[in-house]
Amino acid sequence: MKDVMMLLGFSMGLVTGALLYKYSTSAKQMVDKSEKAVMKEVEKATNKVKKAQKKA
């Protein structure tokens, strides 16, 4: 029963987040801005790894 309730809570959160993203412009801007920030950090980490591989 505990697992069912956890799954239900998770799915309700997904639905709520999707509806917020679709209908709220401020929520969409916040998500897009954070996604861009994460992608910049991933690119920085990828570049560091490539530089380390070239040195090795």
Side-chain angles (χ1 to χ4, degrees):
M1 187 67 181
K2 182 180 175 183
D3 295 336
V4 173
M5 295 304 277
M6 287 174 48
L7 183 60
L8 181 63
F10 181 74
S11 58
M12 289 292 290
L14 282 174
V15 169
T16 304
L19 289 174
L20 272 173
Y21 185 78
K22 184 175 182 179
Y23 293 111
S24 175
T25 56
S26 61
K28 189 171 186 173
Q29 289 173 351
M30 181 183 65
V31 169
D32 291 343
K33 184 185 284 186
S34 62
E35 183 180 10
K36 287 179 184 177
V38 168
M39 289 305 295
K40 284 182 183 178
E41 292 298 320
V42 168
E43 287 177 6
K44 287 180 184 177
T46 304
N47 288 339
K48 287 181 183 178
V49 169
K50 286 181 181 179
K51 287 180 182 178
Q53 286 178 343
K54 287 181 182 178
K55 288 181 181 178

